[in-house]
Structure formats: structure tokens, C-alpha cells
């Protein structure tokens, strides 16, 4: 029993969950990470596709890079950088105006370094979820988290109702674990019932999100008329930004790969027609065609790709922060933390900060037991 109750369950293996799990493990707390996906990463996932000629194509189809301003996060990133997990992406970004058909602000970098995971954005989460003291279980969704008052433990159950173990503390790093949206997508109630903490439940009731579609493209030859490796779109109702994924450090250059993201308005329009459940192949094909047509309409001589595929991000990009000061939500009585970019700030750095805050709360209380 000592083994069982020394553990913390972390639900979700995005960057906040991975950082939390790794930090706990480094401080002597054994952790089990649960994620319904095939691997770690969340919106820092790397998508693996196969072209028609059988070549492997890899895309960072969520977060293309991240910047850092916080000293604690910078210390962590420098540690990752020294271990070869992270590298600076030294490129200029700008904007493209779809009306004038011209690039503007070609040097709008500011002073922030752009960091990327190597060889993919998910490399950071992969390494953190495989550290000593962290047991990761992928393809294993959590259906219910139940507080056992008599034992002062959490019971974690799978989507099929089977027990996944008892834990001394719980971290929910995926907002869908507590969000009403879980029911809209799955037809089931959210795994974590927050009726014991109504003040937390109110904060999590309706977190606004910016949905978007990602379009993954691969070309046999470089798009030579595009002078930048990343740019936002002005005056487009369909596209918000684009980046050349194959230009990042540590990536294969056998083909030129681009990732485009749609505008929030375009994504909301599609979702209003199709609903929140997983989009059909027909919907994704239509989205891919419309987004590519908009890309071709830029007068940048965009050739036909050797690969084209769309992906929907339904709720990965939060539009608000609900715990800016505390960086996470916490109930010390039941030893449950809720973390993610939706707590601190809606970006990768915010997710890292939130994961660190959640691990700190748990370590404070577990050390006293």
C-alpha cells in the first residue's frame, strides 16, 4: 500500500502536465501520467504522416515555437537546451497583406528568442514523461476521478470503468477533465466532479477557447517566392498565420513542409455546421481545400503540394487565464491541482509556469504527510 499511496496521478501529458510530473519525480514523488492520446505533447504534439511515395512527413501542427520571459522558465529551458532538447529557431517573422499582396514588417522579431523542441515540439514532453519516477500510460483515457473520504485517497478509473489505481494526489492538466465540454464531445460527464469545491467549479465553468484548423502541406520544391519562414496574414477571413516547419533546427529537409492555421472565425463557422464531435473526413477534406485555395490566392506562386491534410484543434487554444496570480487551481484538503495555460497565460510559457505551480503545491503538502 505504501507504493500505491506515494503516487500522484497526472491526467494529460501536454507541457504543463509533463513539467509537473517531471518536477514531482525529481523531488522524490512517484507519478503516473495518464493520456488518451498515443503519445505526449497536447498542442505540442508532432504529427507523423506518410506521403504517397511512402516518405515520412513530420509536422508541428500545434504550437510552432515558444518564447520565454519568466526567469524560472528560462532556467528550465536552458537546461533543456544544454541537453539538446530545445534549440533557438533563428528566423525572421513578418506579415502578409492579402489585399496589397505584399509582405510587411519583415523584421518584426522584437528581442524574444524563438525556441523549438528538437527534433519535434513533442520531444520535450516525451523526455519529461520518461524520466525516472514517472510512469506514463498512453492510450488510456480517464473516465472518473473519485475522492475516497475514508481513505483520504483518489480512485482513478478508466473510460471502461476499470480501476487504474489509488493515488495520494491528483493533477488535472487537461481542462476537459473538468469542463462541461467533455460531455458535449463524449456524451459522458467530466471525469472530475468539482461539487466539493464550488469556487473552483465556477472558474472552470466556461473557459473561452479559440478553435482553429491546421493545414499540413509538403512540397517537392521550396516555395521560393516566400522570403520569410513564418508570417501572419492580414485581411484574410480564412488564414491567420503560416510557418515553414522544415526550416526549424533538427528537421528533415527532404521536402519543404508548411503548417497553416485558420482564423478563429473560420473555424467557428465550420464547427457551427458540423458540431464539436470529431470532424468527418469529408469536412477535413473541404477545410484543406478552402485553406489551400486561400494560400494559393496570395500570388506567391504556390505549387501543388505532394501532401495536404487538415486537422482540427477544437479547444487547445484558450482565450483567457483564470488564475493569473496563483498560476494553478488548488484544493489542499483533497490534494487536487488543476493546471494548464488556461490558468496562467494562454501560451507554452504559461503552461510551463502552471505545471511548476501545481508541482509546488503538491510537494508542500506531501512533504508534511
Amino acid at each position: 500500500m505504501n507504493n500505491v499511496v506515494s503516487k500522484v496521478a497526472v491526467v494529460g501529458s501536454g507541457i504543463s502536465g509533463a513539467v509537473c510530473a517531471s518536477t514531482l519525480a525529481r523531488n522524490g514523488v512517484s507519478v503516473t501520467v495518464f493520456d488518451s492520446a498515443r503519445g505526449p505533447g497536447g498542442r505540442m504534439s508532432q504529427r507523423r504522416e506518410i506521403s504517397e511515395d511512402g516518405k515520412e512527413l513530420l509536422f508541428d501542427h500545434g504550437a510552432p515555437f515558444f518564447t520565454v520571459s519568466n526567469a524560472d522558465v528560462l532556467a528550465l529551458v536552458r537546461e533543456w537546451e544544454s541537453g539538446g532538447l530545445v534549440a533557438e529557431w533563428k528566423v525572421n517573422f513578418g506579415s502578409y497583406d492579402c489585399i496589397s499582396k505584399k509582405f510587411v514588417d519583415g523584421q518584426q522579431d522584437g528581442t524574444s528568442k524563438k525556441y523549438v523542441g528538437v527534433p519535434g515540439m513533442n520531444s520535450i514532453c516525451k523526455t519529461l514523461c520518461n524520466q525516472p519516477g514517472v510512469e506514463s500510460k498512453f492510450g488510456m483515457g480517464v473516465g472518473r476521478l473519485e475522492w475516497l473520504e475514508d481513505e483520504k485517497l483518489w480512485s482513478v478509473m478508466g473510460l471502461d470503468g476499470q480501476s487504474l489505481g489509488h493515488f495520494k494526489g491528483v493533477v488535472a492538466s487537461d481542462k476537459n477533465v473538468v469542463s462541461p465540454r467533455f460531455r458535449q464531445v463524449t456524451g459522458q460527464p467530466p471525469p472530475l466532479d468539482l461539487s466539493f469545491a464550488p469556487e473552483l467549479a465556477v472558474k472552470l465553468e466556461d473557459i473561452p477557447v479559440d478553435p482553429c484548423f491546421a493545414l499540413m502541406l509538403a512540397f517537392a520544391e521550396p516555395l521560393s517566392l516566400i522570403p520569410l519562414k513564418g508570417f501572419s496574414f492580414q485581411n484574410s477571413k480564412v488564414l491567420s498565420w503560416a510557418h515553414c516547419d522544415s526550416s526549424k533546427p533538427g528537421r528533415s529537409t527532404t521536402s519543404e513542409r508548411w503548417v497553416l492555421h485558420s482564423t478563429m472565425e473560420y473555424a467557428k463557422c465550420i464547427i457551427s455546421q458540423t458540431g464539436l464531435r470529431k470532424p468527418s473526413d469529408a469536412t477535413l477534406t473541404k477545410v484543406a481545400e478552402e485553406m489551400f485555395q486561400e494560400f494559393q490566392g496570395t500570388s506567391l506562386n504556390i505549387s501543388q503540394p505532394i501532401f495536404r491534410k487538415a486537422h482540427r484543434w477544437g479547444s487547445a487554444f484558450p482565450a483567457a487565464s483564470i488564475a493569473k496570480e496563483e498560476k494553478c487551481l488548488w484544493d489542499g484538503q483533497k490534494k487536487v491541482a488543476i493546471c494548464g495555460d488556461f490558468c496562467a497565460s494562454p501560451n507554452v510559457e504559461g503552461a510551463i509556469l502552471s505545471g511548476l505551480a501545481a508541482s509546488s503545491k503538491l510537494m508542500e503538502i506531501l512533504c508534511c504527510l
Side-chain angles (χ1 to χ4, degrees):
M1 193 63 177
N2 286 337
N3 264 342
V4 176
V5 298
S6 68
K7 287 186 177 180
V8 168
V10 175
V11 185
S13 66
I15 189 66
S16 61
V19 164
C20 180
S22 167
T23 306
L24 287 170
R26 288 169 68 166
N27 285 275
V29 179
S30 57
V31 183
T32 303
V33 175
F34 296 99
D35 201 306
S36 57
R38 289 175 293 178
R43 76 172 187 204
M44 289 180 74
S45 298
Q46 187 178 59
R47 186 74 169 255
R48 179 180 180 270
E49 298 286 351
I50 303 295
S51 65
E52 284 187 7
D53 60 359
K55 290 178 182 173
E56 182 182 66
L57 302 170
L58 298 173
F59 298 91
D60 292 330
H61 62 318
F65 65 93
F66 63 97
T67 59
V68 179
S69 59
N70 177 274
D72 292 335
V73 177
L74 187 58
L76 200 54
V77 170
R78 282 179 174 159
E79 184 184 316
W80 297 341
E81 196 173 15
S82 66
L85 270 183
V86 160
E88 184 185 351
W89 188 21
K90 298 178 181 179
V91 291
N92 288 325
F93 272 31
S95 295
Y96 181 84
D97 187 343
C98 292
I99 293 177
S100 67
K101 307 289 185 185
K102 291 180 180 178
F103 283 98
V104 292
D105 304 324
Q107 300 293 321
Q108 61 170 37
D109 272 319
T111 56
S112 296
K113 292 182 177 181
K114 299 177 185 69
Y115 292 102
V116 298
V118 178
M121 287 297 283
N122 65 345
S123 303
I124 305 166
C125 298
K126 271 186 178 178
T127 299
L128 298 180
C129 287
N130 281 294
Q131 286 192 347
V134 180
E135 181 184 10
S136 295
K137 298 188 176 182
F138 299 109
M140 194 171 288
V142 170
R144 185 163 173 76
L145 297 160
E146 185 177 355
W147 175 250
L148 307 176
E149 183 63 41
D150 291 345
E151 300 174 62
K152 306 297 182 191
L153 295 174
W154 283 96
S155 170
V156 179
M157 285 166 275
L159 291 168
D160 58 2
Q162 288 195 340
S163 174
L164 301 177
H166 290 174
F167 298 85
K168 192 177 283 188
V170 159
V171 178
S173 70
D174 178 352
K175 60 183 171 296
N176 289 328
V177 172
V178 291
S179 168
R181 186 181 181 279
F182 187 87
R183 187 187 295 273
Q184 293 175 292
V185 175
T186 66
Q188 302 294 321
L192 180 57
D193 180 355
L194 281 174
S195 57
F196 64 85
E199 71 284 356
L200 299 188
V202 167
K203 291 184 178 182
L204 288 155
E205 230 167 58
D206 190 23
I207 301 170
V209 295
D210 291 339
C212 83
F213 284 91
L215 177 61
M216 296 165 280
L217 298 169
F219 299 91
E221 300 293 334
L223 302 182
S224 56
L225 287 186
I226 300 181
L228 301 171
K229 298 304 181 186
F231 57 94
S232 60
F233 289 89
Q234 296 179 9
N235 299 307
S236 172
K237 293 182 179 179
V238 178
L239 299 177
S240 62
W241 57 257
H243 76 265
C244 180
D245 212 43
S246 50
S247 70
K248 296 176 184 176
R251 270 60 173 182
S252 165
T253 55
T254 53
S255 64
E256 181 158 295
R257 297 178 305 285
W258 284 78
V259 175
L260 282 58
H261 273 205
S262 76
T263 61
M264 175 189 65
E265 292 77 15
Y266 173 80
K268 281 185 173 179
C269 180
I270 298 293
I271 291 170
S272 71
Q273 299 166 23
T274 60
L276 283 173
R277 291 181 183 267
K278 184 178 178 181
S280 66
D281 289 344
T283 295
L284 291 176
T285 298
K286 174 177 178 283
V287 166
E289 186 176 325
E290 290 176 351
M291 289 179 68
F292 183 67
Q293 281 179 351
E294 184 79 355
F295 195 33
Q296 276 192 315
T298 55
S299 301
L300 292 171
N301 194 28
I302 309 296
S303 58
Q304 283 298 318
I306 57 173
F307 177 86
R308 182 175 78 181
K309 192 169 188 178
H311 170 83
R312 190 190 75 185
W313 291 105
S315 65
F317 299 93
S321 305
I322 60 174
K324 286 185 178 179
E325 294 301 318
E326 304 87 351
K327 310 300 183 194
C328 71
L329 300 181
W330 170 246
D331 185 296
Q333 291 294 315
K334 292 186 168 59
K335 302 180 287 294
V336 57
I338 299 166
C339 66
D341 54 1
F342 57 94
C343 289
S345 60
N347 50 41
V348 173
E349 182 178 28
I352 294 171
L353 274 172
S354 190
L356 289 171
S359 64
S360 178
K361 292 288 187 186
L362 277 158
M363 285 187 296
E364 281 175 20
I365 204 160
L366 292 175
C367 290
C368 300
L369 296 176

